[in-house]
Amino acid sequence: MMKGPKKWRLFALMTALLVFLSGCGREEISTLIPAGKVAQDQFNLLILSSIVMLFVIVVVTIIYVLAIVKFRRSKVGEDMIPEQVEGSARLEFIWTAIPIVLLLILAVPTVYSTFDLADVTAMDAQDEDGVAENLTVNVTGKLYWWEFEYPEQEIRTAQELVVPTGERVYFNLIAADVKHSFWIPSVGGKLDVNPENVNTFYLEFDKESSELEEGVYFGKCAELCGPSHALMDFKVKTLNREDFDAWVAAMQEEQAAPTETLAQEGEELFGQDGLGCIACHAVNSAGAATGQGPNLTTFGDRTTIAGFMEHDEETLKNWIADPQQYKPGNLMPEAASLNNGEELSDQELNALAAYLMGLKVEE
Amino acid sequence: MSSNSQKKGFGATIWDYLTTVDHKKIAILYLISGGFFFLVGGVEAMMIRIQLMKAGNDFLSAGTYNEVLTMHGTTMIFLAAMPILLAFMNAVSPLQIGARDVAFPFLNSLGFWLFFFGGIFLNLSWFLGGAPDAGWTNYASLALESEGHGIDFYSLGLTISGFGTLIAGINFLVTIINMRAPGMTYMRMPLFTWTTFVASALILLAFPPLTVGIFFMVFDRLFGANFFDVQMGGNTIIWEHFFWIFGHPEVYILILPAFGIFSEIFAIFSRKRLFGYTALVFATILIGFYGFMVWAHHMFTVGLGPTANAVFALATMIIAVPTGIKIFNWLLTIWGGNISFTVPMIYAVAFIPSFVAGGVTGVMQAIAPLDYQLHDSYFIVAHFHYVIVGGVVLAILAGTHLYWPKMFGTMLSEKLGKWTFWFFFIGFHLTFFIQHFLGLMGMPRRVYTFGADQGWDLFNAISSAGALLMAIGVLILLVNVVMTVMKGERVGNDPWGDGRTLEWAIPSPPPFYNFAQTPLVRGLDPYWIEKMEGNKEGMVYAEPLGDIHMPNGSFIPFVISLGMFIAAFGAMYHMDGHAWALPVLIGGLAITFGSMLVRSLKDDLGFHVTKEELIADNERIQREARALEGGKKGGLK
């Protein structure tokens, strides 16, 4: 008899919680919908501390409401002079002791977790053949884009981080110019990207990003770094280990030359004899990169342009024609300055767009 | 010169304020200029919220947004909150301890003018090629990269203004240690004086690191030093340490006087002495002490390593204990009291839940691993606004209503005050509560725009709507001030009826010499004790009526500060290679040091207010009080 309603209650509670959580942002970016062990640990701390803090708030609220209801002048009389109480040693002991107990409840997991999340000893672990057991990615923060280098695999990409699911991925972070902060909210807390030292931490990715509505997780720069700080976004593609290995293999291969005429024309323009874009932007992940501009090897596979704009040819052409308009303060030169002072023609823009959109390693 | 009640022309009044060394007039100067900067910072806040009202808004450009954001933070902390609190400290603390003035009246005036010229210098950046744009924390790597003179305005302006604050802090320390009336032992000092004392000690210890950091910055930018330039072996994290060794105590420099104001209000409007006074005092001292030990909790994500993070996490959590003691002692102060909901009291009552909400999120951030998610997100923005607006600004608004009669001798309208309160309070929670969730939903702070695809639109719109309500509240307060000044209805010594401390024992506004006779303090809440014993005269006095020695006014503090203001322009434009810059720099410093020399060489012995003048003055005061009493009876009945 009682079982039915009880079950129903639990179900209702879970539903309400789900609705609440899904109301709290998008799966791609919300810390409230953790997508990896690190984020999950931090989410658990959030829940634990919220419960403890809610308890404090409830206690204070009860005393508070009682006091202002019971002792208002209209109730106790205009001329009443209250007893001038000095204090109470016992009460003061209680409200010193209880917070200390509450803080101890928080302190233990805090210390444990602080050391656990900073544990990167496995980073250098090698198997018998001297191959690293864990994936390490070197991240460099630059004015307003991110470079990702896979030192073991000798490949390099930018703006879209590709990682395998279900294992720890280690990161080395450094800034090339000013301070940034590397943050993938739904996967785990941030770490600053300083210009003077390499910071190291790890993250774990649980879910393949293809299951997400946008197909990628959203990454952010969390430290004010100049006018386009707000636009220094990156995306994270998570693949299962097999797909990831295939992606690495494809990245390591020499990329095929374009076959269409328009795209070939674009390649010409992009190269040394054209506008010279290649001086900053590498198009071969294994090739020597200057690192001045984002590596464009996988440009056709990406989901955004410049980290935050629609990934289509129209946007791309606008971007090439006037990058300052979209990302103020970025270091990409104006196209005209590379083209003997002339704006690029539609034909030239079309060719560049066709070429860049053809830069793919997937499929 | 027998009293300060003579009618004066407009020019004479201006000159009077330019040269005054009277702590009560300096308080008014702080209040007016702090209030002005509060409005400037408020306009900047509104610009931020308009920009973030909807996704992809283009009200402000990216660069301008960073300037507005930086100036909002800098203005609110350095030029609004601190000076307004200094206004109350100046207006009230010397009266609360029964002193004639602060220990160094000349320095008090110098402190104000340095702050004032520093603030003006900083804000002139808007008109002279661009404001600072590296955030109020001015992190080194970005600050060094920043083009134009924005950062130079920041460093030079804050240096000048910081000198002023440091001088004010030292002055209060000396005043409170040396100038307490007979019987005013440390453990009989009103809590607002206690918090002034501890906050002043924090100023003394916290501002030097800031000054050192800013000096490094000035040398890097103006003279090509390499303290922070990583390419040349510098280190940008050093700046963060310097800044936060100042920056964290700064939070307590702001919040402790706010606690003091609320402590006075709870006692007055509950007609009850503070519950656990001793505990409150020691909690204040402990909070001040811990304030210096936790700066690295602003740097959990910098990569200091797990040991540093764990130690600072635990140290930070500890602060919750003395703060909790305070909250519960306040609750027990109103418990069993006789609560009258005047405007100051509704602010104080509203402060408790607001500040508890800000405090518990502070504990959450002390959990270092959780802070990796919260740091530099909108959760932080929500947290520190809950602490600073929910604590400091509510205290400033409450203090304005509470001390207005003591400072100006008139009373702000209670009705309009309640309208201000409700608009401001509801607007405040609407603006900032929801920002906790924005942060948890992944929104970083200091972003000038956000994409529509991230799910933050609705909450940002709500937040902006709340800001509008707060702005309306502040506008109503302005109307209230103007109407009160126009009406000019005088009030007596103790307009709230339940004043407990010494400031309520003397006329509003007090005569320029404060107490004709130094009062004798017979316990905590001395005026209350006398009232309860039916002392008609108001106080028991510790000395017979006699001549009073007072300092002369002086124009020199203004000139010293003006010289530094001029020198700062020279220093700044020197780096552009202007030929006139060096002479301006030298000239400015010459004015400063020259006027210091004049001050040193000129004998200024002050003047005496004679016994006869005091008696005449006292009769006039009595006459006015009787007239006021009669008028009130006639008007009310």
Side-chain angles (χ1 to χ4, degrees), chain B residues 9-25:
Chain B
F10 182 71
T13 310
I14 296 283
W15 179 250
D16 184 31
Y17 274 94
L18 288 178
T19 58
T20 187
V21 296
D22 179 354
H23 71 98
K24 298 176 290 297
K25 286 186 182 160

Side-chain angles (χ1 to χ4, degrees), chain A residues 31 64 73 84 190 196, chain B residues 236 240 339 349 375 440 500:
Chain A
T31 65
Y64 170 80
R73 191 154 293 176
Q84 305 290 305
K190 61 189 76 64
E196 58 261 278
Chain B
T236 63
E240 295 182 36
I339 307 171
V349 165
H375 187 79
L440 294 172
R500 307 175 69 85

Side-chain angles (χ1 to χ4, degrees), chain B residues 5 35 49 54 63 73 145 250 328 332 369 373 409 415 430 476 526-527 532 535 582 604:
Chain B
S5 65
R49 280 323 316 170
K54 58 176 196 213
E145 295 270 323
E250 170 68 15
F328 285 109
L332 267 275
Q373 282 286 23
K415 199 171 157 198
L430 204 56
I476 298 176
Y527 185 47
M532 285 301 107
N535 182 346
L582 198 60
D604 184 354

Side-chain angles (χ1 to χ4, degrees), chain A residues 230, chain B residues 45-60 65 69 378 435 438 443-450 456-464:
Chain B
M46 287 312 293
M47 290 169 84
I48 290 174
R49 280 323 316 170
I50 291 172
Q51 169 66 14
L52 295 179
M53 189 170 64
K54 58 176 196 213
N57 203 1
D58 58 359
F59 174 67
L60 296 176
Y65 181 86
L69 165 115
Y378 255 77
Q435 290 183 357
L438 278 174
M443 182 161 165
R445 68 191 276 208
R446 294 167 160 169
V447 288
Y448 83 97
T449 187
F450 55 92
W456 305 331
D457 304 52
L458 176 66
F459 285 8
N460 269 302
I462 294 174
S463 184
S464 294

Side-chain angles (χ1 to χ4, degrees), chain B residues 380-624:
Chain B
I380 300 292
V381 179
H383 159 73
F384 68 69
H385 280 95
Y386 258 81
V387 174
I388 291 180
V389 181
V392 181
V393 177
L394 289 187
I396 283 173
L397 294 171
T400 305
H401 286 84
L402 177 71
Y403 290 126
W404 190 274
K406 196 41 73 186
M407 290 175 79
F408 298 99
T410 57
M411 198 95 162
L412 288 171
S413 153
E414 285 281 287
K415 199 171 157 198
L416 285 177
K418 281 177 183 163
W419 278 105
T420 300
F421 169 79
W422 285 111
F423 271 106
F424 193 85
F425 186 70
I426 293 171
F428 156 63
H429 282 282
L430 204 56
T431 308
F432 296 112
F433 187 70
I434 215 146
Q435 290 183 357
H436 292 114
F437 293 93
L438 278 174
L440 294 172
M441 283 152 60
M443 182 161 165
R445 68 191 276 208
R446 294 167 160 169
V447 288
Y448 83 97
T449 187
F450 55 92
D453 59 343
Q454 328 222 35
W456 305 331
D457 304 52
L458 176 66
F459 285 8
N460 269 302
I462 294 174
S463 184
S464 294
L468 183 66
L469 293 186
M470 292 168 81
I472 294 174
V474 173
L475 287 179
I476 298 176
L477 175 66
L478 282 184
V479 171
N480 195 352
V481 166
V482 171
M483 282 177 60
T484 307
V485 171
M486 299 288 275
K487 255 205 246 157
E489 227 172 273
R490 315 299 303 173
V491 294
N493 293 7
D494 185 14
W496 298 107
D498 288 315
R500 307 175 69 85
T501 40
L502 283 177
E503 76 267 31
W504 305 108
I506 53 173
S508 318
F512 68 100
Y513 46 81
N514 293 354
F515 297 87
Q517 287 163 281
T518 305
L520 178 68
V521 177
R522 299 193 293 150
L524 182 66
D525 297 339
Y527 185 47
W528 176 263
I529 293 176
E530 304 299 334
K531 271 199 282 191
M532 285 301 107
E533 293 186 0
N535 182 346
K536 283 271 178 259
E537 209 176 316
M539 287 305 301
V540 178
Y541 298 108
E543 58 175 13
L545 197 62
D547 293 0
I548 297 174
H549 180 230
M550 295 299 291
N552 282 323
S554 172
F555 191 52
I556 294 176
F558 185 94
V559 181
I560 293 178
S561 314
L562 182 69
M564 294 194 71
F565 177 75
I566 293 170
F569 279 104
M572 196 168 65
Y573 287 109
H574 181 54
M575 74 189 264
D576 295 348
H578 294 293
W580 51 265
L582 198 60
V584 168
L585 172 61
I586 294 170
L589 289 175
I591 295 176
T592 297
F593 289 113
S595 40
M596 285 179 178
L597 189 71
V598 171
R599 155 81 176 163
S600 305
L601 297 179
K602 202 175 85 179
D603 256 348
D604 184 354
L605 300 173
F607 65 98
H608 280 89
V609 189
T610 62
K611 193 173 164 183
E612 292 69 38
E613 284 171 326
L614 287 175
I615 292 171
D617 216 24
N618 187 38
E619 273 168 12
R620 182 186 56 80
I621 288 167
Q622 296 295 336
R623 211 167 39 243
E624 279 174 10

Side-chain angles (χ1 to χ4, degrees), chain A residues 95-341:
Chain A
W95 56 61
T96 309
I98 292 180
I100 290 176
V101 173
L102 294 180
L103 290 181
L104 282 176
I105 294 174
L106 295 176
V108 175
T110 297
V111 174
Y112 173 77
S113 219
T114 305
F115 282 92
D116 185 43
L117 293 180
D119 178 17
V120 288
T121 45
M123 202 167 166
D124 303 323
Q126 292 180 337
D127 62 15
E128 290 146 11
D129 308 328
V131 180
E133 283 178 2
N134 298 292
L135 178 66
T136 299
V137 182
N138 294 339
V139 178
T140 313
K142 304 195 181 189
L143 285 170
Y144 313 110
W145 60 280
W146 299 86
E147 183 174 80
F148 304 111
E149 184 199 359
Y150 301 69
E152 196 72 21
Q153 290 73 15
E154 295 180 337
I155 57 177
R156 205 184 275 267
T157 177
Q159 290 297 49
E160 279 199 17
L161 174 67
V162 181
V163 284
T165 54
E167 58 185 272
R168 283 189 181 187
V169 179
Y170 292 85
F171 293 91
N172 289 315
L173 312 172
I174 191 149
D177 32 60
V178 302
K179 189 175 147 131
H180 306 281
S181 190
F182 180 82
W183 189 26
I184 311 168
S186 51
V187 181
K190 61 189 76 64
L191 193 59
D192 287 355
V193 182
N194 299 315
E196 58 261 278
N197 69 316
V198 175
N199 273 340
T200 304
F201 79 144
Y202 70 86
L203 292 172
E204 264 184 70
F205 303 80
D206 277 355
K207 191 171 170 182
E208 286 173 46
S209 58
S210 56
E211 294 168 31
L212 299 167
E213 204 182 312
E214 297 275 336
V216 279
Y217 289 107
F218 295 169
K220 296 274 166 192
C221 172
E223 183 66 71
L224 181 63
C225 55
S228 285
H229 160 58
L231 307 174
M232 195 173 154
D233 288 4
F234 62 100
K235 302 287 179 267
V236 185
K237 206 173 269 181
T238 56
L239 305 169
N240 60 44
R241 188 71 214 196
E242 243 169 68
D243 290 348
F244 178 76
D245 289 339
W247 177 80
V248 170
M251 285 290 280
Q252 284 165 335
E253 275 172 32
E254 187 72 27
Q255 257 79 67
T259 48
E260 286 174 58
T261 15
L262 191 63
Q264 281 168 343
E265 204 181 307
E267 185 181 26
E268 189 76 13
L269 260 176
F270 193 87
Q272 211 62 269
D273 302 328
L275 298 170
C277 308
I278 203 157
C280 298
H281 297 284
V283 284
N284 194 326
S285 83
T290 60
Q292 282 186 29
N295 186 309
L296 298 179
T297 315
T298 57
F299 193 83
D301 294 328
R302 290 183 192 165
T303 49
T304 54
I305 292 170
F308 70 102
M309 290 188 290
E310 292 283 329
H311 192 258
D312 56 41
E313 295 208 359
E314 207 48 45
T315 318
L316 178 59
K317 287 189 287 187
N318 292 339
W319 165 258
I320 296 172
D322 188 5
Q324 286 301 329
Q325 187 194 335
Y326 299 95
K327 222 173 192 178
N330 82 75
L331 303 180
M332 180 151 151
E334 290 206 24
S337 71
L338 304 170
N339 196 28
N340 306 321

